[in-house]
Structures are given as C-alpha cells and as structure tokens.
Amino acid sequence: MTDLPVYTKSQLALRNGQDKPEVWIAYKGLIYDVTRSRLWRNGKHYEHWAGQDLSHELGDAPHDEWVFNNFDAIGRLG
C-alpha cells in the first residue's frame, strides 16, 4: 500500500460528491473511492459525509470495517 499516492485532507475534502464528481472517504489512513456505491449517492451516507476521514465514526455504523473490502483503496491520507 505504500505505492499509493498521498492526498492531503484538502484534496480529500474536494471529493465529497458535490465539488467534484468523485466520492472519497478515508479510513485508518487509506482513501477509498466509494463513487460507485448507491449508498454514497451525492456524497452522503446516512449521517456521514464524504470527503473526510471517517475513522472515528465507524463505531456508530451497523457494520464493521469489512465493508471497506468492497472498495478500492486509491490513496493514502497525508
């Protein structure tokens, strides 16, 4: 995973489904592209918003981190 490009929090914030068409989220230092997920349409998933690090919010979710197996890690949060 060290060969993945590094993105800043500002670059991640732009991929919120509103400012740019990509919908990205970060979890435990990795950035995932969730654009193709119908659950992240328009950059919102229940009370969670794309374009940010959701590492501390997973405890509120009805699923565990296995959900990230469904998405490609496309970068690292720097």
Side-chain angles (χ1 to χ4, degrees):
M1 294 282 178
T2 58
D3 57 333
L4 293 173
V6 176
Y7 295 95
T8 65
K9 286 185 178 183
S10 296
Q11 290 171 307
L12 173 63
L14 290 174
R15 275 60 177 202
N16 59 16
Q18 306 291 310
D19 296 310
K20 292 185 182 267
E22 299 94 358
V23 181
W24 294 359
I25 58 171
Y27 179 71
K28 290 189 174 180
L30 292 177
I31 297 174
Y32 295 89
D33 185 345
V34 296
T35 305
R36 62 183 168 84
S37 173
R38 64 178 175 78
L39 298 175
W40 278 98
R41 200 162 286 153
N42 297 321
K44 187 170 190 302
H45 176 62
Y46 298 99
E47 71 274 2
H48 306 289
W49 291 93
Q52 47 186 314
D53 184 353
L54 300 180
S55 298
H56 298 292
E57 297 187 30
L58 190 65
D60 296 334
H63 53 73
D64 207 340
E65 61 186 35
W66 58 262
V67 73
F68 293 101
N69 294 336
N70 297 319
F71 303 103
D72 296 324
I74 52 109
R76 294 181 292 130
L77 190 57

